[in-house]
Amino acid sequence: MKTLLSVPPALSTLAPAGIADFLTHDPPDRKLGSGGGTAHLLHQAWRAEADALRFADWLAAEPRILLHAGGQSRRLPAYAPGGKALLPVPVFRWSTGQRLDQTLLDLQKPLLSELLERAPASMRTLVASGDVLVWNDEPLPPIPEVDVLCVGLWDDAETASHHGVFFTPRAQPDRVEFMRQKPSPGEILSLAADHLFLLDVGIWLFSDRAVDLLMRKCGWNGERFPGGTPDAFDLYTTFGEALGRRPTAPDPEISALTFAVLPLQQGEFYHFGTSRDLVTSALALQNRVHDPRRIRSALMKPHPSLFVQNADTGRPLCAESRDIWIENSELSPHWTLSERHVLTGIPANTW
């Protein structure tokens, strides 16, 4: 099983050794979208590893995790140069066996690897988002053999309205009717009279047949991309909304693919897409466990939403401070912090 990682251009030549089996970045002068970016990552890995093999033979040779961690990251600029998948995640106070330098990618990989290991042999390609952590302590349910399988979580309408949403009939919850991208809470609640709904967490498994169709939708002719790079194509809207028994936006080829959603009954969803998410998700992870018998650290902070990693702060944070993230920084005693700060890469200073 290999990990293919799409990262920002600056990181592709500076990435630490061993973080992935293959790294690349989208063309800096083109926007490919999530579908085009997936096709580009596969194409570049194939050319780097086994250009002499037919693409179909290379694809069938082994399972692969594709993680999208590039993009401009306008909503989380502190980690735009390195990509969200490599942002540092504080060790959990309720768990052992962690590393002080653990990244979001380190925490994502166990579930992604288990999904691929337990999936039918025909499903060898897993695509995931680099800014989402899905935590699952329960055994995985049986994974059906389909062309496209998406992982889903139960959540409320307000949260679901910011993501993709899968709808299944209440009488047949294992049958996916359609997918909608960011429907309003009102639309979700109106459909909820007859449907159950699940949040799309951005983890999709594909059969080789589905990958071949995605490649062709991005301009692939079976041997190459005539323009040199894939055409822009969105995986979660154009492809996703064409899936299901009654697709939102039917496409004769995509709609013919078999499709299912895998609900993680006790799964937890942590988003790291914005500066606010960075703090709130880190705090929620720390607070997963409240049992004092499982809390491994006796250290107390002035406020639980203060996170300091690999940093030297010249003045202690006070009880009035909250929602602060300091990482890889050196702050002089002259700094005064109040609330809602994300500080990274601050050099030694007397500011």
Side-chain angles (χ1 to χ4, degrees):
M1 183 183 303
K2 289 188 175 178
T3 301
L4 314 182
L5 192 59
S6 178
V7 297
L11 186 68
S12 60
T13 57
L14 301 172
I19 64 169
D21 297 290
F22 178 78
L23 290 94
T24 191
H25 60 83
D26 286 355
D29 57 341
R30 294 195 60 188
K31 291 184 178 181
L32 299 181
S34 50
T38 299
H40 180 71
L41 181 54
L42 285 167
H43 181 238
Q44 293 298 304
W46 166 60
R47 290 185 59 187
E49 293 180 5
D51 202 5
L53 278 179
R54 292 175 57 247
F55 177 79
D57 295 334
W58 172 82
L59 188 67
E62 61 185 336
R64 296 175 182 86
I65 296 171
L66 280 66
L67 200 74
H68 291 295
Q72 294 182 331
S73 192
R74 289 193 179 100
R75 298 185 301 162
L76 183 55
Y79 294 99
K84 298 170 186 174
L86 298 185
L87 66 85
V89 179
V91 295
F92 308 141
R93 60 182 185 148
W94 44 265
S95 178
T96 58
Q98 300 173 79
R99 301 197 327 267
L100 289 175
D101 61 347
Q102 69 186 9
T103 65
L104 183 56
L105 175 61
D106 294 324
L107 300 176
Q108 291 171 316
K109 286 182 70 173
L111 175 61
L112 304 183
S113 299
E114 185 182 5
L115 284 165
L116 263 185
E117 288 169 357
R118 295 182 176 273
S122 62
M123 304 165 70
R124 283 183 282 260
T125 303
L126 184 150
V127 179
S129 172
D131 63 359
V132 166
L133 174 64
V134 177
W135 194 273
N136 182 61
D137 286 330
E138 301 295 320
L140 288 176
I143 298 178
E145 186 167 9
V146 290
D147 290 312
V148 181
L149 179 82
C150 298
V151 174
L153 297 182
W154 307 108
D155 216 317
D156 60 83
E158 180 61 36
T159 301
S161 68
H162 301 288
H163 304 274
V165 185
F166 307 111
F167 291 89
T168 69
R170 287 186 173 272
Q172 296 175 294
D174 59 340
R175 169 180 164 174
V176 186
E177 291 277 87
F178 50 84
M179 178 186 186
R180 298 275 170 86
Q181 272 300 321
K182 298 183 179 179
S184 68
E187 181 182 359
I188 295 172
L189 292 175
S190 67
L191 290 167
D194 301 311
H195 296 82
L196 300 172
F197 61 91
L198 296 104
L199 176 73
D200 174 24
V201 297
I203 301 175
W204 293 32
L205 285 86
F206 293 85
S207 69
D208 291 354
R209 175 192 177 199
V211 171
D212 176 72
L213 178 56
L214 175 61
M215 296 288 285
R216 288 192 283 111
K217 290 295 182 181
C218 297
W220 179 252
N221 64 11
E223 297 180 354
R224 61 188 180 91
F225 291 108
T229 55
D231 298 333
F233 187 81
D234 193 83
L235 183 64
Y236 303 110
T237 54
T238 310
F239 199 96
E241 291 193 344
L243 295 167
R245 306 282 182 132
R246 295 191 299 113
T248 301
D251 175 284
E253 293 181 297
I254 300 174
S255 301
L257 298 173
T258 54
F259 175 50
V261 173
L262 185 74
L264 299 184
Q265 302 297 340
Q266 302 298 323
E268 301 166 21
F269 177 76
Y270 301 96
H271 192 215
F272 289 83
T274 70
S275 296
R276 182 181 296 275
D277 291 336
L278 182 67
V279 175
T280 58
S281 291
L283 180 59
L285 280 164
Q286 294 296 331
N287 290 335
R288 286 190 70 249
V289 174
H290 294 282
D291 185 341
R293 294 167 298 177
R294 293 182 58 188
I295 304 302
R296 307 288 178 171
S297 173
L299 297 177
M300 298 295 292
K301 297 188 289 186
H303 192 276
S305 62
L306 305 178
F307 297 96
V308 181
Q309 302 179 83
N310 187 33
D312 183 13
T313 57
R315 175 185 294 182
L317 298 172
C318 61
E320 288 72 32
S321 299
R322 62 193 62 207
D323 299 338
I324 293 178
W325 177 280
I326 306 172
E327 186 264 327
N328 188 32
S329 297
E330 186 167 342
L331 310 185
S332 80
H334 306 289
W335 286 62
T336 301
L337 303 179
S338 55
E339 58 184 41
R340 298 193 300 277
H341 302 304
V342 173
L343 305 173
T344 63
I346 311 282
N349 67 87
T350 56
W351 307 335

mmCIF file of all heavy atoms in Angstrom, residues 229-263:
data_model
loop_
_atom_site.group_PDB
_atom_site.id
_atom_site.type_symbol
_atom_site.label_atom_id
_atom_site.label_comp_id
_atom_site.label_asym_id
_atom_site.label_seq_id
_atom_site.Cartn_x
_atom_site.Cartn_y
_atom_site.Cartn_z
ATOM 1 N N THR A 229 -1.747 18.096 -19.254
ATOM 2 C CA THR A 229 -2.288 18.006 -17.898
ATOM 3 C C THR A 229 -3.790 17.765 -17.982
ATOM 4 O O THR A 229 -4.421 18.048 -19.018
ATOM 5 C CB THR A 229 -2.023 19.291 -17.087
ATOM 6 O OG1 THR A 229 -2.553 20.413 -17.807
ATOM 7 C CG2 THR A 229 -0.524 19.501 -16.863
ATOM 8 N N PRO A 230 -4.402 17.254 -16.933
ATOM 9 C CA PRO A 230 -5.838 16.994 -16.959
ATOM 10 C C PRO A 230 -6.650 18.277 -17.127
ATOM 11 O O PRO A 230 -6.209 19.379 -16.777
ATOM 12 C CB PRO A 230 -6.115 16.341 -15.606
ATOM 13 C CG PRO A 230 -4.799 15.868 -15.112
ATOM 14 C CD PRO A 230 -3.782 16.812 -15.668
ATOM 15 N N ASP A 231 -7.854 18.106 -17.636
ATOM 16 C CA ASP A 231 -8.813 19.209 -17.655
ATOM 17 C C ASP A 231 -9.340 19.433 -16.234
ATOM 18 O O ASP A 231 -9.346 18.521 -15.407
ATOM 19 C CB ASP A 231 -9.990 18.873 -18.575
ATOM 20 C CG ASP A 231 -9.559 18.667 -20.025
ATOM 21 O OD1 ASP A 231 -8.530 19.252 -20.431
ATOM 22 O OD2 ASP A 231 -10.241 17.907 -20.738
ATOM 23 N N ALA A 232 -9.780 20.638 -15.961
ATOM 24 C CA ALA A 232 -10.383 20.932 -14.662
ATOM 25 C C ALA A 232 -11.670 20.123 -14.508
ATOM 26 O O ALA A 232 -12.480 20.040 -15.437
ATOM 27 C CB ALA A 232 -10.674 22.423 -14.541
ATOM 28 N N PHE A 233 -11.833 19.513 -13.346
ATOM 29 C CA PHE A 233 -13.013 18.683 -13.100
ATOM 30 C C PHE A 233 -13.192 18.563 -11.597
ATOM 31 O O PHE A 233 -12.217 18.317 -10.874
ATOM 32 C CB PHE A 233 -12.824 17.296 -13.728
ATOM 33 C CG PHE A 233 -14.044 16.416 -13.674
ATOM 34 C CD1 PHE A 233 -15.059 16.561 -14.602
ATOM 35 C CD2 PHE A 233 -14.161 15.439 -12.694
ATOM 36 C CE1 PHE A 233 -16.186 15.747 -14.556
ATOM 37 C CE2 PHE A 233 -15.274 14.623 -12.640
ATOM 38 C CZ PHE A 233 -16.290 14.770 -13.577
ATOM 39 N N ASP A 234 -14.424 18.713 -11.116
ATOM 40 C CA ASP A 234 -14.673 18.652 -9.673
ATOM 41 C C ASP A 234 -15.225 17.290 -9.294
ATOM 42 O O ASP A 234 -16.221 16.825 -9.863
ATOM 43 C CB ASP A 234 -15.645 19.749 -9.240
ATOM 44 C CG ASP A 234 -15.658 19.893 -7.724
ATOM 45 O OD1 ASP A 234 -14.770 20.580 -7.201
ATOM 46 O OD2 ASP A 234 -16.538 19.291 -7.081
ATOM 47 N N LEU A 235 -14.571 16.671 -8.340
ATOM 48 C CA LEU A 235 -14.961 15.335 -7.903
ATOM 49 C C LEU A 235 -16.243 15.372 -7.091
ATOM 50 O O LEU A 235 -17.125 14.533 -7.263
ATOM 51 C CB LEU A 235 -13.821 14.726 -7.076
ATOM 52 C CG LEU A 235 -13.999 13.300 -6.574
ATOM 53 C CD1 LEU A 235 -14.088 12.323 -7.732
ATOM 54 C CD2 LEU A 235 -12.846 12.922 -5.645
ATOM 55 N N TYR A 236 -16.360 16.354 -6.190
ATOM 56 C CA TYR A 236 -17.441 16.317 -5.212
ATOM 57 C C TYR A 236 -18.762 16.882 -5.743
ATOM 58 O O TYR A 236 -19.817 16.569 -5.193
ATOM 59 C CB TYR A 236 -17.004 17.063 -3.950
ATOM 60 C CG TYR A 236 -15.735 16.478 -3.378
ATOM 61 C CD1 TYR A 236 -14.530 17.170 -3.421
ATOM 62 C CD2 TYR A 236 -15.726 15.202 -2.830
ATOM 63 C CE1 TYR A 236 -13.358 16.615 -2.922
ATOM 64 C CE2 TYR A 236 -14.565 14.637 -2.325
ATOM 65 C CZ TYR A 236 -13.383 15.354 -2.375
ATOM 66 O OH TYR A 236 -12.227 14.789 -1.884
ATOM 67 N N THR A 237 -18.715 17.706 -6.780
ATOM 68 C CA THR A 237 -19.968 18.199 -7.363
ATOM 69 C C THR A 237 -20.275 17.462 -8.659
ATOM 70 O O THR A 237 -21.221 16.670 -8.720
ATOM 71 C CB THR A 237 -19.892 19.713 -7.623
ATOM 72 O OG1 THR A 237 -18.737 20.013 -8.415
ATOM 73 C CG2 THR A 237 -19.811 20.479 -6.322
ATOM 74 N N THR A 238 -19.479 17.681 -9.699
ATOM 75 C CA THR A 238 -19.791 17.115 -11.012
ATOM 76 C C THR A 238 -19.863 15.594 -10.979
ATOM 77 O O THR A 238 -20.778 14.990 -11.538
ATOM 78 C CB THR A 238 -18.743 17.569 -12.047
ATOM 79 O OG1 THR A 238 -18.588 18.983 -11.967
ATOM 80 C CG2 THR A 238 -19.159 17.187 -13.453
ATOM 81 N N PHE A 239 -18.891 14.956 -10.314
ATOM 82 C CA PHE A 239 -18.883 13.493 -10.236
ATOM 83 C C PHE A 239 -19.867 13.010 -9.168
ATOM 84 O O PHE A 239 -20.705 12.141 -9.423
ATOM 85 C CB PHE A 239 -17.466 13.006 -9.911
ATOM 86 C CG PHE A 239 -17.214 11.562 -10.249
ATOM 87 C CD1 PHE A 239 -16.626 11.208 -11.451
ATOM 88 C CD2 PHE A 239 -17.543 10.559 -9.355
ATOM 89 C CE1 PHE A 239 -16.378 9.873 -11.757
ATOM 90 C CE2 PHE A 239 -17.301 9.221 -9.646
ATOM 91 C CZ PHE A 239 -16.709 8.878 -10.853
ATOM 92 N N GLY A 240 -19.777 13.596 -7.982
ATOM 93 C CA GLY A 240 -20.593 13.116 -6.875
ATOM 94 C C GLY A 240 -22.084 13.292 -7.099
ATOM 95 O O GLY A 240 -22.880 12.410 -6.754
ATOM 96 N N GLU A 241 -22.488 14.416 -7.672
ATOM 97 C CA GLU A 241 -23.920 14.668 -7.857
ATOM 98 C C GLU A 241 -24.503 13.873 -9.012
ATOM 99 O O GLU A 241 -25.715 13.904 -9.236
ATOM 100 C CB GLU A 241 -24.170 16.165 -8.042
ATOM 101 C CG GLU A 241 -23.916 16.955 -6.757
ATOM 102 C CD GLU A 241 -24.441 18.370 -6.819
ATOM 103 O OE1 GLU A 241 -24.722 18.850 -7.937
ATOM 104 O OE2 GLU A 241 -24.580 18.993 -5.748
ATOM 105 N N ALA A 242 -23.655 13.132 -9.751
ATOM 106 C CA ALA A 242 -24.150 12.235 -10.796
ATOM 107 C C ALA A 242 -24.314 10.806 -10.289
ATOM 108 O O ALA A 242 -24.743 9.923 -11.034
ATOM 109 C CB ALA A 242 -23.199 12.255 -11.991
ATOM 110 N N LEU A 243 -23.976 10.551 -9.007
ATOM 111 C CA LEU A 243 -24.080 9.217 -8.430
ATOM 112 C C LEU A 243 -25.425 9.020 -7.738
ATOM 113 O O LEU A 243 -26.088 9.982 -7.349
ATOM 114 C CB LEU A 243 -22.947 9.003 -7.420
ATOM 115 C CG LEU A 243 -21.517 9.003 -7.976
ATOM 116 C CD1 LEU A 243 -20.514 9.093 -6.825
ATOM 117 C CD2 LEU A 243 -21.249 7.762 -8.818
ATOM 118 N N GLY A 244 -25.812 7.750 -7.563
ATOM 119 C CA GLY A 244 -27.022 7.437 -6.819
ATOM 120 C C GLY A 244 -28.138 6.906 -7.698
ATOM 121 O O GLY A 244 -28.042 6.883 -8.936
ATOM 122 N N ARG A 245 -29.220 6.484 -7.032
ATOM 123 C CA ARG A 245 -30.384 5.937 -7.758
ATOM 124 C C ARG A 245 -31.156 7.029 -8.484
ATOM 125 O O ARG A 245 -31.723 6.792 -9.542
ATOM 126 C CB ARG A 245 -31.311 5.236 -6.765
ATOM 127 C CG ARG A 245 -30.648 4.170 -5.896
ATOM 128 C CD ARG A 245 -30.443 2.887 -6.639
ATOM 129 N NE ARG A 245 -29.865 1.866 -5.783
ATOM 130 C CZ ARG A 245 -30.343 0.625 -5.696
ATOM 131 N NH1 ARG A 245 -31.395 0.260 -6.400
ATOM 132 N NH2 ARG A 245 -29.753 -0.263 -4.903
ATOM 133 N N ARG A 246 -31.209 8.220 -7.891
ATOM 134 C CA ARG A 246 -31.870 9.366 -8.531
ATOM 135 C C ARG A 246 -30.921 10.565 -8.448
ATOM 136 O O ARG A 246 -31.125 11.472 -7.645
ATOM 137 C CB ARG A 246 -33.201 9.680 -7.834
ATOM 138 C CG ARG A 246 -34.243 8.609 -7.957
ATOM 139 C CD ARG A 246 -35.618 9.070 -7.493
ATOM 140 N NE ARG A 246 -35.644 9.456 -6.095
ATOM 141 C CZ ARG A 246 -35.850 10.693 -5.645
ATOM 142 N NH1 ARG A 246 -36.012 11.685 -6.511
ATOM 143 N NH2 ARG A 246 -35.878 10.944 -4.355
ATOM 144 N N PRO A 247 -29.867 10.565 -9.254
ATOM 145 C CA PRO A 247 -28.808 11.576 -9.097
ATOM 146 C C PRO A 247 -29.309 12.999 -9.286
ATOM 147 O O PRO A 247 -30.240 13.254 -10.062
ATOM 148 C CB PRO A 247 -27.792 11.187 -10.167
ATOM 149 C CG PRO A 247 -28.531 10.332 -11.137
ATOM 150 C CD PRO A 247 -29.595 9.632 -10.356
ATOM 151 N N THR A 248 -28.675 13.909 -8.567
ATOM 152 C CA THR A 248 -29.009 15.328 -8.665
ATOM 153 C C THR A 248 -28.708 15.876 -10.048
ATOM 154 O O THR A 248 -29.483 16.654 -10.609
ATOM 155 C CB THR A 248 -28.207 16.123 -7.610
ATOM 156 O OG1 THR A 248 -28.526 15.618 -6.303
ATOM 157 C CG2 THR A 248 -28.519 17.603 -7.674
ATOM 158 N N ALA A 249 -27.576 15.492 -10.613
ATOM 159 C CA ALA A 249 -27.160 15.952 -11.944
ATOM 160 C C ALA A 249 -26.722 14.731 -12.742
ATOM 161 O O ALA A 249 -25.525 14.412 -12.788
ATOM 162 C CB ALA A 249 -26.030 16.971 -11.840
ATOM 163 N N PRO A 250 -27.658 14.020 -13.372
ATOM 164 C CA PRO A 250 -27.322 12.746 -14.024
ATOM 165 C C PRO A 250 -26.284 12.904 -15.131
ATOM 166 O O PRO A 250 -26.243 13.898 -15.846
ATOM 167 C CB PRO A 250 -28.667 12.279 -14.598
ATOM 168 C CG PRO A 250 -29.706 13.030 -13.839
ATOM 169 C CD PRO A 250 -29.082 14.340 -13.485
ATOM 170 N N ASP A 251 -25.439 11.895 -15.233
ATOM 171 C CA ASP A 251 -24.481 11.748 -16.317
ATOM 172 C C ASP A 251 -24.539 10.276 -16.729
ATOM 173 O O ASP A 251 -24.386 9.394 -15.881
ATOM 174 C CB ASP A 251 -23.070 12.115 -15.848
ATOM 175 C CG ASP A 251 -21.997 11.873 -16.895
ATOM 176 O OD1 ASP A 251 -21.616 10.699 -17.111
ATOM 177 O OD2 ASP A 251 -21.536 12.846 -17.512
ATOM 178 N N PRO A 252 -24.774 9.977 -18.004
ATOM 179 C CA PRO A 252 -24.994 8.574 -18.401
ATOM 180 C C PRO A 252 -23.892 7.624 -17.945
ATOM 181 O O PRO A 252 -24.178 6.501 -17.515
ATOM 182 C CB PRO A 252 -25.078 8.653 -19.925
ATOM 183 C CG PRO A 252 -25.514 10.046 -20.217
ATOM 184 C CD PRO A 252 -24.901 10.893 -19.150
ATOM 185 N N GLU A 253 -22.644 8.057 -18.019
ATOM 186 C CA GLU A 253 -21.537 7.167 -17.656
ATOM 187 C C GLU A 253 -21.349 7.097 -16.140
ATOM 188 O O GLU A 253 -21.230 6.013 -15.568
ATOM 189 C CB GLU A 253 -20.246 7.643 -18.318
ATOM 190 C CG GLU A 253 -20.241 7.527 -19.834
ATOM 191 C CD GLU A 253 -18.930 7.998 -20.427
ATOM 192 O OE1 GLU A 253 -18.605 9.188 -20.271
ATOM 193 O OE2 GLU A 253 -18.232 7.166 -21.050
ATOM 194 N N ILE A 254 -21.309 8.251 -15.477
ATOM 195 C CA ILE A 254 -21.089 8.256 -14.028
ATOM 196 C C ILE A 254 -22.254 7.613 -13.298
ATOM 197 O O ILE A 254 -22.075 6.834 -12.357
ATOM 198 C CB ILE A 254 -20.852 9.690 -13.529
ATOM 199 C CG1 ILE A 254 -19.628 10.315 -14.202
ATOM 200 C CG2 ILE A 254 -20.676 9.703 -12.007
ATOM 201 C CD1 ILE A 254 -19.411 11.775 -13.876
ATOM 202 N N SER A 255 -23.469 7.923 -13.724
ATOM 203 C CA SER A 255 -24.653 7.400 -13.045
ATOM 204 C C SER A 255 -24.776 5.890 -13.176
ATOM 205 O O SER A 255 -25.502 5.254 -12.401
ATOM 206 C CB SER A 255 -25.910 8.080 -13.597
ATOM 207 O OG SER A 255 -25.852 9.485 -13.433
ATOM 208 N N ALA A 256 -24.077 5.304 -14.153
ATOM 209 C CA ALA A 256 -24.111 3.851 -14.333
ATOM 210 C C ALA A 256 -23.208 3.124 -13.333
ATOM 211 O O ALA A 256 -23.297 1.903 -13.188
ATOM 212 C CB ALA A 256 -23.693 3.491 -15.757
ATOM 213 N N LEU A 257 -22.339 3.843 -12.632
ATOM 214 C CA LEU A 257 -21.462 3.220 -11.643
ATOM 215 C C LEU A 257 -22.256 2.796 -10.414
ATOM 216 O O LEU A 257 -23.192 3.486 -10.006
ATOM 217 C CB LEU A 257 -20.363 4.193 -11.210
ATOM 218 C CG LEU A 257 -19.382 4.672 -12.285
ATOM 219 C CD1 LEU A 257 -18.470 5.756 -11.714
ATOM 220 C CD2 LEU A 257 -18.553 3.515 -12.838
ATOM 221 N N THR A 258 -21.896 1.674 -9.837
ATOM 222 C CA THR A 258 -22.516 1.271 -8.574
ATOM 223 C C THR A 258 -21.944 2.128 -7.452
ATOM 224 O O THR A 258 -20.768 2.492 -7.454
ATOM 225 C CB THR A 258 -22.273 -0.215 -8.294
ATOM 226 O OG1 THR A 258 -20.868 -0.488 -8.349
ATOM 227 C CG2 THR A 258 -22.986 -1.069 -9.324
ATOM 228 N N PHE A 259 -22.782 2.446 -6.460
ATOM 229 C CA PHE A 259 -22.429 3.474 -5.470
ATOM 230 C C PHE A 259 -23.029 3.113 -4.127
ATOM 231 O O PHE A 259 -24.155 2.615 -4.038
ATOM 232 C CB PHE A 259 -22.968 4.828 -5.957
ATOM 233 C CG PHE A 259 -22.801 5.964 -5.000
ATOM 234 C CD1 PHE A 259 -21.580 6.229 -4.410
ATOM 235 C CD2 PHE A 259 -23.875 6.789 -4.675
ATOM 236 C CE1 PHE A 259 -21.421 7.286 -3.522
ATOM 237 C CE2 PHE A 259 -23.727 7.850 -3.803
ATOM 238 C CZ PHE A 259 -22.495 8.096 -3.221
ATOM 239 N N ALA A 260 -22.267 3.337 -3.076
ATOM 240 C CA ALA A 260 -22.762 3.102 -1.719
ATOM 241 C C ALA A 260 -22.065 4.049 -0.756
ATOM 242 O O ALA A 260 -21.009 4.615 -1.058
ATOM 243 C CB ALA A 260 -22.522 1.649 -1.300
ATOM 244 N N VAL A 261 -22.680 4.235 0.410
ATOM 245 C CA VAL A 261 -22.096 5.021 1.490
ATOM 246 C C VAL A 261 -21.853 4.088 2.675
ATOM 247 O O VAL A 261 -22.712 3.255 3.010
ATOM 248 C CB VAL A 261 -23.014 6.181 1.906
ATOM 249 C CG1 VAL A 261 -22.478 6.886 3.146
ATOM 250 C CG2 VAL A 261 -23.139 7.189 0.765
ATOM 251 N N LEU A 262 -20.689 4.230 3.299
ATOM 252 C CA LEU A 262 -20.335 3.432 4.468
ATOM 253 C C LEU A 262 -20.495 4.300 5.717
ATOM 254 O O LEU A 262 -19.638 5.152 5.996
ATOM 255 C CB LEU A 262 -18.892 2.934 4.347
ATOM 256 C CG LEU A 262 -18.423 1.975 5.444
ATOM 257 C CD1 LEU A 262 -19.049 0.590 5.225
ATOM 258 C CD2 LEU A 262 -16.904 1.870 5.470
ATOM 259 N N PRO A 263 -21.563 4.125 6.482
ATOM 260 C CA PRO A 263 -21.731 4.946 7.697
ATOM 261 C C PRO A 263 -20.819 4.444 8.812
ATOM 262 O O PRO A 263 -20.785 3.247 9.105
ATOM 263 C CB PRO A 263 -23.204 4.744 8.057
ATOM 264 C CG PRO A 263 -23.828 3.990 6.923
ATOM 265 C CD PRO A 263 -22.722 3.251 6.259
#
